[in-house]
Amino acid sequence: MSTLHLVRVVLHLLQGLATCALVFPLAGPALRERCIRSWSAKLLAICGVRLSVSGVLSDTPALIVCNHVSWLDIFAINSLRPCRFVAKSDIRDWPLVGWLCERSGTIFIARGRQRDVRRIFQGLVNSIHAGERVAFFPEGTVSLQGTVLPFHANLFEAAIDADVPVQPYGLRYLDRHGRPHPAVEYVGDTTFVQSMLTILRHRDIRAELLLLPALPSAGAHRRELAAAAHDAVAGALAAEKAAA
């Protein structure tokens, strides 16, 4: 790992802090979105992550769901089109990045607190009705590449109440040979700082974001939607692996 790369990450994080503190309070939604998209894309570049996107990027309001591999996931999606993310409350404690996520609109949820789920659920519906793009990782935790854990169904109810489809995304990270890149694995006792340093040491990472067909929510049950979204994401990732 080059010391220069680490210094660039730290400076980029500080620049993000300054933007959130000084620009965001005065900025309208369009400027905030441009700042988040540009900042996220630059963070990926500094980390040596190249993003490729397949599928059609839709402007139709939807609840976006994606499998969860790494802390990079939020920034990969935001570099394409910024969203308000629902994320576990632990992220708020990450050095610098946690504060950045909070100031850029991330909605934090505490594990195992049903009251939190009910409160956030209504907030998601309101955000979707207000025209905001909302996204979450329904596995509830990160998983090893090649594995898509069952999707928790609770927050899928927001798509039904907001009368919008569910938009599944699939995300994977590959090395130069097209194999899952081990540097992005973020499971077990790995800390955010350890993960960041590992990624900076390897750098040559290709992130593939698969935009999958939307799933209609009208007349559906949240468990049906969760299962259909899981099958769509797992199937697409398996098909990409088989075609490689």
Side-chain angles (χ1 to χ4, degrees):
M1 177 186 62
S2 154
T3 302
L4 175 60
H5 292 139
L6 182 58
V7 170
R8 289 182 66 197
V9 167
V10 172
L11 291 176
H12 190 57
L13 291 174
L14 293 175
Q15 186 249 318
L17 293 175
T19 299
C20 287
L22 303 175
V23 177
F24 276 17
L26 305 174
L31 178 56
R32 285 170 62 98
E33 182 168 308
R34 287 198 301 272
C35 288
I36 292 171
R37 183 178 179 184
S38 173
W39 190 92
S40 298
K42 187 172 180 181
L43 178 65
L44 294 181
I46 293 171
C47 292
V49 179
R50 295 171 289 111
L51 179 67
S52 65
V53 180
S54 63
V56 178
L57 185 61
S58 173
D59 290 323
T60 302
L63 180 66
I64 297 166
V65 299
C66 185
N67 64 301
H68 199 11
V69 179
S70 165
W71 58 268
L72 287 168
D73 300 348
I74 289 176
F75 304 107
I77 294 172
N78 273 347
S79 70
L80 175 68
R81 179 174 282 178
C83 301
R84 290 198 72 186
F85 280 89
V86 180
K88 59 184 181 181
S89 56
D90 311 37
I91 292 176
R92 190 188 278 118
D93 299 326
W94 288 357
L96 300 181
V97 173
W99 191 84
L100 284 170
C101 288
E102 183 173 17
R103 292 305 297 266
S104 61
T106 299
I107 304 163
F108 294 106
I109 184 169
R111 290 176 176 176
R113 293 188 184 176
Q114 194 60 34
R115 182 180 301 175
D116 245 19
V117 172
R118 288 195 295 270
R119 173 182 58 82
I120 288 170
F121 163 76
Q122 189 54 53
L124 297 185
V125 174
N126 294 340
S127 292
I128 294 170
H129 283 161
E132 295 180 319
R133 287 182 292 277
V134 175
F136 73 102
F137 302 109
E139 290 170 288
T141 186
V142 292
S143 59
L144 289 169
Q145 295 210 78
T147 302
V148 181
L149 300 175
F151 282 5
H152 297 287
N154 284 345
L155 295 182
F156 282 84
E157 190 78 30
I160 298 170
D161 274 28
D163 194 26
V164 297
V166 170
Q167 174 71 67
Y169 286 177
L171 189 55
R172 63 181 189 156
Y173 299 88
L174 306 176
D175 63 19
R176 66 181 65 187
H177 304 294
R179 297 185 296 244
H181 204 303
V184 301
E185 304 291 8
Y186 190 46
V187 295
D189 296 327
T190 304
T191 66
F192 167 73
V193 173
Q194 289 170 336
S195 176
M196 169 71 79
L197 294 176
T198 301
I199 288 169
L200 288 175
R201 277 196 299 270
H202 290 83
R203 289 185 51 77
D204 189 12
I205 300 168
R206 185 170 86 253
E208 289 192 347
L209 182 59
L210 314 176
L211 312 182
L212 308 176
L215 304 171
S217 65
H221 188 278
R222 67 187 185 190
R223 290 191 181 89
E224 296 171 346
L225 277 178
H230 175 276
D231 291 348
V233 172
L237 292 172
E240 290 293 319
K241 181 179 179 181

